[in-house]
Amino acid sequence: MAVLNEEQEMLRDMAREWTKNEHPVAAWRQVRDAGKPFDEDAWTAMAEMGWAGIIIPEEHGGTDFGWLSLGLVVEETGKTLAAGPLVPSALAASAIVLGGSEEQKSEFLPRLATGELIGTIAFDEGPRHAGLDVSTSVHDGRLTGTKAFVHEASRAGIYIVLAQDGVYLVEKGKGVSIAKRAMVDMRDHAEIDFNDAPAQKLAAGGSDLAQKILDHARVLTAAEMLGMSQAVFDTTLDYLKQRVQFNQVLATFQALQHRMADLYTELELGRSAVEGGLQAIDSGFAVTEAAALAKARANDLLHHMSKEGLQLHGGIGMTDEYDVGFFLKRARILEASWGSSSHLRDLYATMKAF
């Protein structure tokens, strides 16, 4: 595990206490039952605790605690499936921090830091992640193109959009059409059609700005997946310790003990990769390599953990009464976001040694 400083420990413990006591999985169940893909109260609470500004510089209203700190918070929210735009809004903020002009930073970052403004990133255009290969174009400051499966799109006020010649900031409004998409995780996803939408280029981040944003998206998504994997493991272990079958507690069966031991090993390997990715962003060393590794490991871990958790619960694991199914549904969406395991392995294999 990563060595944390005092501030990071306090931030992690605060997030852990809030998710456990104020926003357990039961809170997400209530939001889903109400037909809402977004928890307004949860987001308000997150913003009040300063989580929206963790990677935003202090001069723009944030705390600048770094990516490892943000990852610790995201991991805890992943454990209870907290339905808020923390991840996509942080990614939008990081794009402006990296590539925005001073005017853009002054206009958007303070509002992102307080949670008043929500942002998201719109990169992918097809049914599968294709890296930085896009057809969206910009002419005379007007952006045209279609982005598929944009996370938290309907609540966002700004979109960080990848075009053929760079990364642009587009505000919701003229030229922006949003079509909601019903996904298995019941969260806020949409397809966005940009038709001559006014766009501001993020030109200060250099030619590799899009890759940096994508790296951040992979690592932060992996942090959420790590939290989900931990929650499934803990829930399944508790169930095995309580469930009696053939007059014996399931946890006493050696075969099941071996399976849980294997899952624990995979969990710790995944944690190492994810924390390594977060630390790589903070240090600026081999970020793209670490991001690909972290997301690939998180994909494999959560896919295996969610399937095993469901199976070890038995038939009742398939029912809506038990929370474990929520994690499997969310897992399948996140696995496809920003690169599948096969895509990332191919990418990693072609990278130059660092």
Side-chain angles (χ1 to χ4, degrees):
M1 294 180 63
V3 178
L4 307 181
N5 59 36
E6 185 176 350
E7 287 179 341
Q8 290 168 335
E9 289 181 351
M10 291 176 61
L11 193 60
R12 178 202 60 195
D13 293 344
M14 177 177 67
R16 185 172 295 172
E17 182 178 355
W18 180 80
T19 53
K20 181 180 179 180
N21 298 326
E22 303 298 331
H23 202 284
V25 180
W28 159 241
R29 183 184 290 275
Q30 292 176 355
V31 172
R32 185 211 59 169
D33 291 346
K36 300 177 181 178
F38 180 89
D39 192 335
E40 298 280 2
D41 293 336
W43 176 238
T44 299
M46 291 180 192
E48 290 176 348
M49 289 184 285
W51 296 354
I54 289 177
I55 51 89
I56 295 176
E58 292 183 28
E59 61 265 29
H60 295 296
T63 56
D64 200 14
F65 279 166
W67 286 88
L68 178 58
S69 299
L70 179 58
L72 294 171
V73 172
V74 170
E75 179 186 346
E76 296 302 323
T77 62
K79 291 179 181 179
T80 61
L81 301 172
L86 179 60
V87 171
S89 198
L91 294 174
S94 74
I96 298 173
V97 170
L98 290 170
S101 64
E102 287 304 316
E103 291 77 13
Q104 290 167 335
K105 291 178 182 178
S106 298
E107 180 179 358
F108 297 108
L109 290 181
R111 290 191 288 152
L112 287 168
T114 62
E116 171 195 348
L117 177 66
I118 295 172
T120 189
I121 61 174
F123 275 35
D124 290 336
E125 297 180 350
R128 292 183 178 85
H129 175 70
L132 303 179
D133 183 17
V134 298
S135 60
T136 298
S137 60
V138 179
H139 299 285
D140 297 326
R142 301 283 177 169
L143 184 142
T144 299
T146 300
K147 297 297 182 178
F149 308 114
V150 180
H151 297 255
E152 310 296 343
S154 63
R155 296 304 197 282
I158 59 170
Y159 307 98
I160 304 300
V161 186
L162 177 62
Q164 292 178 333
D165 64 334
V167 180
Y168 289 81
L169 187 155
V170 178
E171 297 185 68
K172 179 182 285 187
K174 183 179 179 181
V176 179
S177 300
I178 300 174
K180 292 187 177 181
R181 292 290 178 262
M183 305 289 283
V184 69
D185 65 346
M186 304 297 290
R187 297 284 286 270
D188 184 6
H189 303 281
E191 179 179 282
I192 304 180
D193 182 50
F194 298 99
N195 186 12
D196 286 336
Q200 306 175 37
K201 190 169 187 179
L202 300 181
S207 59
D208 61 345
L209 174 61
Q211 184 61 57
K212 291 179 180 178
I213 298 170
L214 185 55
D215 291 339
H216 294 174
R218 287 170 175 163
V219 175
L220 212 53
T221 302
E224 181 180 353
M225 298 172 80
L226 175 63
M228 293 169 59
S229 298
Q230 182 71 64
V232 174
F233 179 86
D234 292 341
T235 300
T236 303
L237 184 59
D238 289 342
Y239 176 77
L240 294 179
K241 289 179 178 179
Q242 298 172 12
R243 175 68 172 171
V244 176
Q245 192 75 20
F246 307 116
N247 296 320
Q248 282 188 290
V249 177
L250 287 180
T252 62
F253 288 96
Q254 190 176 57
L256 299 186
Q257 292 174 359
H258 288 171
R259 288 172 70 173
M260 293 303 294
D262 289 341
L263 290 175
Y264 180 79
T265 301
E266 293 297 317
L267 184 61
E268 291 306 298
L269 288 172
R271 180 174 300 283
S272 177
V274 172
E275 291 182 349
L278 293 166
Q279 291 174 317
I281 297 176
D282 283 331
S283 67
F285 176 72
V287 179
T288 300
E289 293 86 345
L293 178 61
K295 182 58 165 55
R297 287 297 309 168
N299 284 349
D300 294 344
L301 169 62
L302 186 54
H303 186 89
H304 185 50
M305 187 73 75
S306 59
K307 289 202 306 181
E308 286 287 282
L310 200 69
Q311 187 178 73
L312 290 169
H313 272 77
I316 60 172
M318 298 291 293
T319 66
D320 189 69
E321 180 183 355
Y322 279 73
D323 295 338
V324 68
F326 292 156
F327 290 90
L328 184 141
K329 293 172 182 176
R330 178 67 171 163
R332 297 303 173 264
I333 300 300
L334 295 182
E335 287 171 35
S337 301
W338 319 123
S340 64
S341 294
S342 59
H343 173 89
L344 294 169
R345 288 193 186 97
D346 289 343
L347 179 65
Y348 192 88
T350 59
M351 290 178 182
K352 296 180 179 179
F354 53 87

